[in-house]
Amino acid sequence: MNKVKKALIPAAGLGTRFLPATKTIPKEMLPVVDQPILLYVVEEAVRAGVEDIILIAGRGKHAIEDFFDRSYEVEDQLLKAGREDLLSRIQKIRDMVNIISVRQKEALGLGHAVFCGQPIIGKENFAVLLGDEIMHSEPGEPTVTEQLSKIFIETGVSTVAVMEVAAEDVEKYGVISAEKTPEGYFRVRDVVEKPTPDTAPSRLALPGRYIFTHHIFDYLQNAKPGKNNEIQLTDSMRGLAQNQGLVATLFQAKRFDAGDKLGYLIANIELALMRQDLGPQLRQYLRGLIDDLS
Ligand code: G1P
């Protein structure tokens, strides 16, 4: 199996949880520290060798397209102001990757969003990264997409990331039924979307990082609405698991669910703490705050 060169990022949700902030901008463009959530996700894909990002966008897609495009005005101003540091950061973003954007005209579910990428992806293998989850890997450590890519190349079958969640949390995720292989990953037998704790086949949940062969499109093409009346990606993953094969691996990274309000705040705090320019002051502030609260 070859390296994955294309990644699909669904970013067409309505962002209801973040209204009114998301009335005019997609939630993937909300900043965490000083860059949009989406840039963390794109950086993860690029570190894994991805060259083309297929963005499945709904409203506000222009803000995303502009972000990855050249901005003559901003670049000119930074140049004149002698802000080489910021200028090179801005230029790096626009040269990082090709963005191909596809409009999802109706929000029919994640499975439908992924299927919207089929005319561009065709018969290639591709990664899917959910646009509101940040997976932080230290520089030099493999990103989650790289971890999946390694197993995908070894096994030749679609590979997804899983994480162990508490029993009461299985209802928020797609959950796999699987057996462990001697190599240390899981061979998936079935995938269930948001099961109740008493019906969940395991506590191994999908955090939103996948590598698929094009066969996923065969199932998505005929997919019917499933849980919550949406076309679910997990229903089509079942087809892969039972026919072409599907493996899962417990990933190594710090995950932030930036699509959730509390998760978003935590992402801001923790990622700022990791920064040399902000971390020490923020740490000091938080210490003082805790003293005041206790
Ligand atoms: C989607 C998927 C689900 C996955 C989750 C990860 O659900 O349908 O299988 O576990 O993302 O965040 P959503 O969070 O969009 O309801």
Side-chain angles (χ1 to χ4, degrees), residues 284-294:
Q284 200 180 8
Y285 167 76
L286 290 174
R287 284 215 176 100
L289 188 65
I290 289 163
D291 286 347
D292 289 350
L293 292 173
S294 51

Side-chain angles (χ1 to χ4, degrees), residues 5 10 119 165 178 224-225 244:
K5 296 273 171 59
V165 298
K224 302 269 177 305
Q244 287 77 20

Side-chain angles (χ1 to χ4, degrees), residues 17 110 130 132-133 163 172-175 191-194 205-208 210 228 230 232-234 255 257:
R17 279 189 263 182
L110 181 59
L130 297 192
D132 54 11
E133 312 246 351
M163 59 186 177
K172 297 184 200 157
Y173 301 101
V175 175
V191 192
V192 189
E193 183 67 18
K194 303 190 176 79
L206 301 164
Y210 319 78
N228 300 332
E230 288 178 8
Q232 298 290 354
L233 181 59
T234 37
R255 169 182 180 259
D257 180 6

Side-chain angles (χ1 to χ4, degrees), residues 230-247:
E230 288 178 8
I231 298 181
Q232 298 290 354
L233 181 59
T234 37
D235 290 339
S236 290
M237 287 166 63
R238 179 175 305 124
L240 279 182
Q242 292 170 359
N243 298 296
Q244 287 77 20
L246 179 67
V247 297

Side-chain angles (χ1 to χ4, degrees), residues 149-202:
S149 184
K150 184 169 176 281
I151 297 178
F152 176 69
I153 290 167
E154 277 166 23
T155 61
V157 297
S158 299
T159 307
V160 298
V162 284
M163 59 186 177
E164 195 153 348
V165 298
E168 65 268 26
D169 286 336
V170 288
E171 281 177 291
K172 297 184 200 157
Y173 301 101
V175 175
I176 63 165
S177 143
E179 64 240 5
K180 205 156 189 179
T181 67
E183 295 86 0
Y185 46 79
F186 298 91
R187 198 153 283 282
V188 181
R189 277 190 307 249
D190 200 3
V191 192
V192 189
E193 183 67 18
K194 303 190 176 79
T196 55
D198 53 322
T199 58
S202 75

Side-chain angles (χ1 to χ4, degrees), residues 39-219:
L39 184 54
Y40 292 92
V41 180
V42 170
E43 283 171 344
E44 177 192 331
V46 169
R47 272 171 68 181
V50 164
E51 293 169 1
D52 299 319
I53 300 279
I54 295 104
L55 187 82
I56 312 297
R59 290 171 317 136
K61 78 179 187 109
H62 296 298
I64 303 180
E65 285 170 347
D66 289 350
F67 182 78
F68 288 97
D69 196 0
R70 179 189 289 268
S71 166
Y72 287 100
E73 202 187 345
V74 173
E75 290 185 26
D76 189 51
Q77 279 178 11
L78 290 173
L79 188 68
K80 284 185 183 141
R83 295 299 310 269
E84 310 292 336
D85 50 337
L86 266 180
L87 181 63
S88 75
R89 205 167 156 206
I90 297 277
Q91 287 172 336
K92 208 173 128 207
I93 294 167
R94 65 143 148 91
D95 295 336
M96 178 177 275
V97 77
N98 300 317
I99 300 276
I100 303 157
S101 95
V102 179
R103 170 84 79 158
Q104 187 189 17
K105 293 180 191 144
E106 271 180 288
L108 298 178
L110 181 59
H112 177 254
V114 173
F115 191 61
C116 288
Q118 194 261 350
I120 291 155
I121 294 164
K123 298 270 181 212
E124 273 187 64
N125 308 313
F126 65 106
V128 174
L129 293 88
L130 297 192
D132 54 11
E133 312 246 351
I134 298 175
M135 298 288 195
H136 175 80
S137 310
E138 293 299 327
E141 293 292 321
T143 64
V144 176
T145 303
E146 281 177 289
Q147 294 166 33
L148 297 185
S149 184
K150 184 169 176 281
I151 297 178
F152 176 69
I153 290 167
E154 277 166 23
T155 61
V157 297
S158 299
T159 307
V160 298
V162 284
M163 59 186 177
E164 195 153 348
V165 298
E168 65 268 26
D169 286 336
V170 288
E171 281 177 291
K172 297 184 200 157
Y173 301 101
V175 175
I176 63 165
S177 143
E179 64 240 5
K180 205 156 189 179
T181 67
E183 295 86 0
Y185 46 79
F186 298 91
R187 198 153 283 282
V188 181
R189 277 190 307 249
D190 200 3
V191 192
V192 189
E193 183 67 18
K194 303 190 176 79
T196 55
D198 53 322
T199 58
S202 75
R203 289 199 282 118
L204 294 173
L206 301 164
R209 293 294 186 269
Y210 319 78
I211 290 181
F212 292 123
T213 61
H214 66 86
H215 296 105
I216 189 78
F217 293 131
D218 299 342
Y219 301 103

